């Protein structure tokens, strides 16, 4: 049976490791990487290149993203440090989306650089930067941990891809968008327009048409009366 103090220490270490100790990373997952070759020798370095099929929902929902299954190229540098493994890398892929102005398809070449520390769950607290107790809890929530020498790059990758993509993609900088009245692409017909009618004058336009029709009727009646009078005079 472990001493009470030892049991409490183990519990604290488990809490600091967050859910990493319970996730049971699958080494067959293409976004899970093994650091065993580095050992725990500070200064050791390893370079990796890997091309994988992009996971689902990689990007900004309903705006632009990397389609599921699209080739995603990764170049990584793993460096062993006192606290864990520092991962520096670049991700490249083709992102597809929709122009926010004209709704045409948009394709962009994505390049996302990143750097992230994956800490050892049992790292000595004395080797970490000193912080206030309140800050320790916040830092632990943001800390990513190694699990049995493995780390999962997917959470990091999702964050950096979102930051690297445009929030409002356009097919071209001078895209004119769509006609707000009929939806026609103004890129195809820049001179396209509709005669705007001010609703405040619509009723008056109706009155003008009615008056014009009335004047025409009056003029027709006067002319008919004149012709009839002239005919009567000739008969007399």
């Amino acid at each position: 049976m472990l001493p009470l103090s030892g049991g409490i220490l183990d519990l604290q270490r488990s809490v600091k490791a967050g859910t990493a100790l319970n996730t049971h990373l699958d080494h067959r997952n293409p976004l899970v990487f093994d650091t065993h070759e580095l050992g725990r020798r500070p200064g050791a370095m390893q370079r990796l290149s890997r091309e994988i099929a992009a996971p689902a929902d990689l990007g900004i929902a309903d705006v632009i993203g990397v389609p599921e299954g699209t080739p995603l190229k990764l170049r990584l540098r793993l460096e062993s440090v006192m606290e864990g493994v520092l991962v520096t890398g670049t991700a490249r892929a083709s992102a597809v989306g929709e122009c926010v102005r004209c709704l045409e398809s948009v394709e962009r070449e994505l390049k996302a650089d990143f750097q992230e520390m994956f800490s050892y769950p049992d790292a000595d607290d004395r080797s970490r930067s000193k912080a206030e107790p309140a800050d320790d809890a916040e830092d632990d929530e943001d800390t990513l941990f190694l699990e049995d020498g493995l780390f999962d790059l997917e959470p990091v990758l999702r964050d950096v891809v979102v930051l690297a993509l445009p929030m409002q993609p356009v097919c071209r900088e001078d895209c004119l968008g769509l006609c707000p009245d009929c939806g026609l692409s103004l890129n195809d017909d820049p001179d396209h327009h509709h005669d705007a009618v001010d609703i405040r004058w619509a009723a008056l336009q109706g009155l003008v048409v009615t008056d014009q029709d009335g004047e025409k009727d009056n003029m027709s009646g006067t002319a008919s009366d004149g012709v009839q009078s002239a005919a009567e005079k000739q008969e007399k």
Side-chain angles (χ1 to χ4, degrees):
M1 182 175 179
L2 291 174
L4 180 59
S5 59
I8 293 175
L9 181 60
D10 290 340
L11 178 60
Q12 289 175 337
R13 286 173 176 172
S14 297
V15 171
K16 288 182 179 181
T19 58
L21 295 178
N22 300 317
T23 54
H24 304 297
L25 297 180
D26 186 353
H27 68 278
R28 294 170 297 182
N29 184 331
L31 285 173
V32 171
F33 293 83
D34 192 335
T35 66
H36 284 101
E37 289 188 17
L38 288 175
R40 296 188 66 163
R41 305 183 306 276
M45 185 178 69
Q46 181 182 10
R47 295 183 182 275
L48 298 173
S49 294
R50 184 177 294 183
E51 182 173 317
I52 67 169
D57 304 320
L58 184 60
I60 306 171
D62 301 323
V63 179
I64 189 170
V66 181
E68 183 177 2
T70 297
L72 177 65
K73 297 180 181 179
L74 299 171
R75 293 176 63 88
L76 305 178
R77 184 181 68 200
L78 314 183
E79 298 176 82
S80 179
V81 296
M82 289 294 295
E83 297 85 354
V85 176
L86 180 65
V87 179
T88 305
T90 301
R92 295 177 182 271
S94 294
V96 176
E98 192 175 76
C99 177
V100 295
R101 298 179 188 171
C102 69
L103 307 183
E104 291 293 328
S105 178
V106 174
E107 185 171 348
R108 292 284 183 271
E109 289 303 314
L110 167 73
K111 178 185 177 184
D113 298 321
F114 55 89
Q115 187 174 72
E116 192 65 53
M117 170 69 75
F118 290 86
S119 299
Y120 298 122
D122 59 349
D124 188 352
D125 291 340
R126 290 174 299 178
S127 67
R128 301 183 183 183
S129 59
K130 300 300 181 180
E132 296 296 329
D135 294 335
D136 287 340
E138 295 179 1
D139 291 341
D140 287 338
E141 291 179 0
D142 298 331
T143 301
L144 298 176
F145 290 91
L146 292 167
E147 179 188 333
D148 192 24
L150 304 176
F151 68 86
D152 186 1
L153 191 63
E154 184 170 345
V156 176
L157 187 62
R158 290 189 178 280
D159 288 343
V160 298
V161 165
V162 169
L163 292 175
L165 290 171
M167 296 296 294
Q168 293 187 319
V170 292
C171 59
R172 66 191 200 200
E173 291 300 324
D174 60 346
C175 175
L176 299 176
L178 301 176
C179 172
D181 295 318
C182 67
L184 178 74
S185 175
L186 298 179
N187 294 320
D188 298 333
D189 185 4
D191 296 327
H192 172 80
H193 70 282
H194 296 270
D195 292 331
V197 177
D198 193 325
I199 59 174
R200 295 172 298 178
W201 300 102
L204 294 179
Q205 286 185 338
L207 293 176
V208 170
V209 172
T210 302
D211 290 344
Q212 289 177 346
D213 292 340
E215 289 178 0
K216 290 180 180 179
D217 292 340
N218 291 336
M219 292 177 63
S220 298
T222 302
S224 300
D225 293 343
V227 171
Q228 185 175 1
S229 300
E232 290 176 353
K233 288 179 180 180
Q234 288 178 355
E235 291 178 356
K236 290 180 181 180

